[in-house]
Amino acid sequence: MNRRQVRGSQRISKSHGKRSENKKILIVTEGVKTEPQYFEGLAAHLNAQAVHVISLKPVGTGRDPMSVVREADSQREKERRNGDAFDSVWCVVDVDEHATLPAACTLAAREKMGLAISSPCFEIWLLWHYEDRLAWSTGGALAQRLKKFGVLGKNLPANFPYDRFVDAKQRAEKCAVIELKHKPPNPSSSVSELVSELELASKGKSPQSR
């Protein structure tokens, strides 16, 4: 697939043109390492406790938000043409200094895709698995703080506490309200919405319509 990285500890199974009733979720991320690793690990954790298996296909693009949304649309259309459409599509991006974020938000809304945005970056969501952090932060400061918990570089440690995703969601709720999706406060993350959908899917429940 050229330079794209298609990852997933659980392959999307097809058999004679049919697949199981498990929810099939596409997650396209801006990052090519940390984010796909996180969602693979979280899916594995949820599946270990659930009756139904999540079909999860994270794709890391390594590009700006608009490129992420376009890639998600392309992947969704390709699977639809193959007769095994995704039940839900999510894009995971950072605020950083991306000029295309407002346009990406507009396109994602029009195409009925979920958009999980972290400010200043995805690392704030990771840190919330370990501790509170409500002060304005830079990506560099978050990376330094994560090192204290064994998160080095772009790779997550084998003992990353995926089971603390509930703590992360609660900490995200303490942040200022996101009034403008393309201008979320620092810190903030709507990754919690995606995680909630994964929880529902792992229990065999359908997500609410966007």
Side-chain angles (χ1 to χ4, degrees):
M1 277 197 171
N2 299 328
R3 298 181 179 178
R4 291 195 304 273
Q5 291 190 356
V6 178
R7 305 165 59 95
S9 57
Q10 301 157 58
R11 297 298 179 185
I12 298 170
S13 61
K14 300 176 183 177
S15 177
H16 305 293
K18 296 181 181 180
R19 63 176 168 89
S20 68
E21 295 181 358
N22 300 325
K23 300 302 177 184
K24 184 176 175 184
I25 299 172
L26 172 66
I27 299 176
V28 181
T29 68
E30 183 180 329
V32 298
K33 287 187 177 181
T34 309
E35 290 94 322
Q37 286 178 15
Y38 174 80
F39 289 111
E40 288 172 11
L42 180 63
H45 170 72
L46 290 173
N47 289 339
Q49 302 179 20
V51 175
H52 298 270
V53 178
I54 300 172
S55 294
L56 179 64
K57 182 179 182 181
V59 179
T61 67
R63 289 173 274 178
D64 63 278
M66 194 63 173
S67 295
V68 172
V69 175
R70 286 172 175 162
E71 177 65 23
D73 189 43
S74 175
Q75 292 278 333
R76 179 174 65 178
E77 179 60 21
K78 182 187 302 182
E79 211 70 357
R80 186 193 65 78
R81 290 197 303 268
N82 290 337
D84 196 17
F86 289 104
D87 296 296
S88 182
V89 177
W90 280 83
C91 301
V92 181
V93 301
D94 297 339
V95 171
D96 287 335
E97 299 297 329
H98 291 311
T100 67
L101 186 55
C105 290
T106 299
L107 180 58
R110 188 175 70 216
E111 297 299 328
K112 293 181 169 53
M113 298 180 191
L115 194 58
I117 305 173
S118 297
S119 176
C121 55
F122 189 73
E123 280 71 15
I124 186 62
W125 177 255
L126 298 178
L127 185 59
W128 282 336
H129 286 67
Y130 296 101
E131 65 178 15
D132 284 322
R133 180 82 173 202
L134 297 178
W136 188 94
S137 303
T138 64
L142 295 174
Q144 284 297 118
R145 187 61 188 167
L146 281 167
K147 286 182 180 180
K148 298 181 182 297
F149 299 102
V151 181
L152 307 175
K154 295 296 183 179
N155 291 306
L156 297 181
N159 64 346
F160 185 85
Y162 295 102
D163 59 322
R164 297 182 191 167
F165 70 90
V166 175
D167 295 335
K169 289 173 62 177
Q170 292 174 344
R171 287 162 176 155
E173 292 175 356
K174 296 178 183 179
C175 296
V177 176
I178 300 176
E179 297 181 352
L180 297 176
K181 198 171 185 67
H182 65 282
K183 289 184 178 180
N186 180 334
S188 65
S189 179
S190 54
V191 170
S192 56
E193 298 174 16
L194 168 53
V195 171
S196 293
E197 184 163 315
L198 294 180
E199 284 186 90
L200 288 174
S202 73
K203 299 173 182 176
K205 298 179 180 180
S206 299
Q208 295 180 348
S209 300
R210 275 181 286 277

